[in-house]
Amino acid sequence: MRSEALSSLIPDPSAFLAQPPAEATVWRQAASLAFGLAEAGELLDHGSLQRQMVSLVKDAKRVAPTSYTWAGQPIQPGFSDVARSTKISAYIAEGATTVLESLHRTWKPIGDLCRRLSFETGLPISANAYLTPSGSQGFAHHYDTHSVLIVQTAGSKTWQLHTPVYDDPLEHQPWNAAKVSQDEWERLRNATPFLEVTLKPGDSLWIPRGWIHNGFATDDHSLHVSFSFPTLTPYWIANELVRRLGSERAFRTELPWGFGQSAEVRAEALETTAKLLAEHFVAFDPVVGEELADDYRRFSLESARRPMDNFLPAPTASTPVRTVAESAVGTSWTDEGSLRVHLGDSVVLFEADVAPAVAALIEADSPSPWTAADLGLPSGAALELVTTLLRTGMAVRV
């Protein structure tokens, strides 16, 4: 598999994939990412971002969306949640940080990059961008419940990185400043950071899950893109497995009353539950793994389609196309030899006669163009397959 997306952000993708750094790590001039102030400005100026797509942070707190959207103002029906560029401009002038949320869904080049990163890492990668005026700060000391790769694209920003106050936090264990001890606050505020670095355009910074980071813009306006690397844990799998137990009648049976009053009742209830869990979890059917994989895949970005391609002439045996292997979030074979290709928002089933050809295209992950005539299939089946691949975003014309 090629690592074209990772190689555009870090210097050694193979080493990174084999063992992601366990500590905060910086790479100088390793990234090439075309999302600068002009692109951020174009996105903000367009006037189509809704409150879920942009947020503002001032004095380390999120600004209420009603303060920068059309909420409560005269506007066409359906546009009350749209952000107002005039309001965002005013907040930027006051030092607020603008967060372009879910940038992978609002800026196509970033979406394409995240889709490719997901294919290369096996994780559903997403991205946000943070625009901070000079001398200002967005969020102060905090940790994330996932690892992030920060890529500086304009200006500069200084980061202070500290080792965790809580190891490997889960999604339901977000940063809570009130739960940090005074000793830990003393360390975070006054001790020498594990790493202090000023990022400039082209620099990348890896922040593992749970690591405390504190960033503030220098004398330059700062823009960086933050790629989120979500964490798959045994806890998530266990949660998903337990959630499925609701379909088993044994787990819906009422236990004896008095759980809060009687030690004997508690002991019996726990013993019964432990036996049921042991019976159901002693071994897992492969089907369960596929079901869990389907649940996990729902976090992935769907394959990119080109609606206007529907108006182009139908492909011929000599129409050059290119495989978009990253469109496949995952694949699975059926007992009948068919191939199920997961596209994030849907599943395409390829029958046994063409399934090996599709699997070979995905596995090859080649940027080189090919035609229906190259597939080694009967002409009718080959053209039908190419049409399906184009329609589903698994291939594009070149």
Side-chain angles (χ1 to χ4, degrees), residues 279-294:
E279 291 171 1
H280 283 76
F281 290 164
V282 64
F284 298 115
D285 190 303
V287 172
V288 175
E290 282 300 318
E291 292 175 351
L292 289 175
D294 283 344

Side-chain angles (χ1 to χ4, degrees), residues 33 77 98 112 128 136 139 172 200 216 233 237 255 269 277 329 340 343 393:
L33 183 60
T98 305
D112 291 341
N128 294 341
S136 300
F139 295 109
H172 68 281
K200 296 182 178 180
F216 40 91
T233 62
I237 292 179
L255 292 168
L277 289 172
V329 176
R340 299 172 73 239
L343 303 178

Side-chain angles (χ1 to χ4, degrees), residues 169-398:
L170 297 168
E171 282 191 28
H172 68 281
Q173 299 168 326
W175 169 259
N176 186 339
K179 292 185 177 181
V180 179
S181 69
Q182 289 301 315
D183 287 344
E184 289 286 20
W185 271 121
E186 175 67 21
R187 174 173 74 90
L188 297 178
R189 288 172 175 152
N190 300 314
T192 301
F194 174 88
L195 174 66
E196 182 165 357
V197 59
T198 298
L199 298 185
K200 296 182 178 180
D203 294 342
S204 301
L205 173 64
W206 174 253
I207 306 178
R209 171 174 57 137
W211 276 62
I212 310 298
H213 44 290
N214 178 39
F216 40 91
T218 61
D219 293 337
D220 295 325
H221 299 312
S222 170
L223 177 65
H224 75 262
V225 177
S226 179
F227 295 94
S228 298
F229 287 65
T231 304
L232 178 65
T233 62
Y235 181 87
W236 182 85
I237 292 179
N239 251 351
E240 292 298 307
L241 291 172
V242 169
R243 187 170 60 83
R244 283 165 166 71
L245 296 179
S247 62
E248 301 289 337
R249 185 175 182 182
F251 283 90
R252 303 199 305 269
T253 302
E254 185 177 20
L255 292 168
W257 293 3
F259 186 84
Q261 299 172 326
S262 167
E264 290 76 12
V265 170
R266 286 194 293 276
E268 180 184 348
L270 292 174
E271 182 181 1
T272 297
T273 303
K275 287 181 178 179
L276 286 172
L277 289 172
E279 291 171 1
H280 283 76
F281 290 164
V282 64
F284 298 115
D285 190 303
V287 172
V288 175
E290 282 300 318
E291 292 175 351
L292 289 175
D294 283 344
D295 288 344
Y296 186 69
R297 289 165 180 144
R298 74 178 186 268
F299 299 109
S300 300
L301 191 61
E302 65 278 5
S303 64
R305 274 77 159 189
R306 297 183 177 184
M308 300 310 292
D309 281 2
N310 290 286
F311 298 98
L312 296 175
T316 67
S318 59
T319 299
V321 299
R322 175 179 61 83
T323 307
V324 186
E326 57 266 31
S327 293
V329 176
T331 60
S332 55
W333 291 90
T334 69
D335 294 337
E336 296 76 24
S338 298
L339 181 67
R340 299 172 73 239
V341 179
H342 302 259
L343 303 178
D345 62 344
S346 59
V347 176
V348 181
L349 181 67
F350 294 95
E351 299 297 342
D353 57 336
V354 299
V358 176
L361 289 171
I362 295 173
E363 184 177 358
D365 185 29
S366 172
S368 301
W370 51 270
T371 68
D374 298 326
L375 293 175
L377 298 170
S379 59
L383 284 175
E384 183 178 350
L385 177 57
V386 171
T387 300
T388 298
L389 295 176
L390 290 172
R391 176 176 53 80
T392 57
M394 297 178 63
V396 293
R397 300 174 189 247
V398 295

Side-chain angles (χ1 to χ4, degrees), residues 87-172:
K87 291 292 185 179
I88 293 177
S89 178
Y91 270 104
I92 290 176
E94 295 174 5
T97 289
T98 305
V99 184
L100 295 170
E101 310 274 4
S102 299
L103 190 62
H104 55 290
R105 293 195 176 276
T106 59
W107 192 256
K108 187 179 184 304
I110 295 294
D112 291 341
L113 180 62
C114 285
R115 194 176 290 106
R116 183 70 206 182
L117 284 171
S118 298
F119 184 69
E120 294 174 10
T121 63
L123 300 173
I125 307 297
S126 58
N128 294 341
Y130 296 79
L131 176 62
T132 302
S134 60
S136 300
Q137 181 176 36
F139 295 109
H141 295 89
H142 70 285
Y143 65 67
D144 294 314
T145 57
H146 52 266
S147 299
V148 297
L149 179 64
I150 287 174
V151 178
Q152 191 75 21
T153 62
S156 57
K157 196 168 196 175
T158 297
W159 292 92
Q160 296 174 337
L161 286 302
H162 297 267
T163 55
V165 298
Y166 185 76
D167 292 326
D168 302 328
L170 297 168
E171 282 191 28
H172 68 281

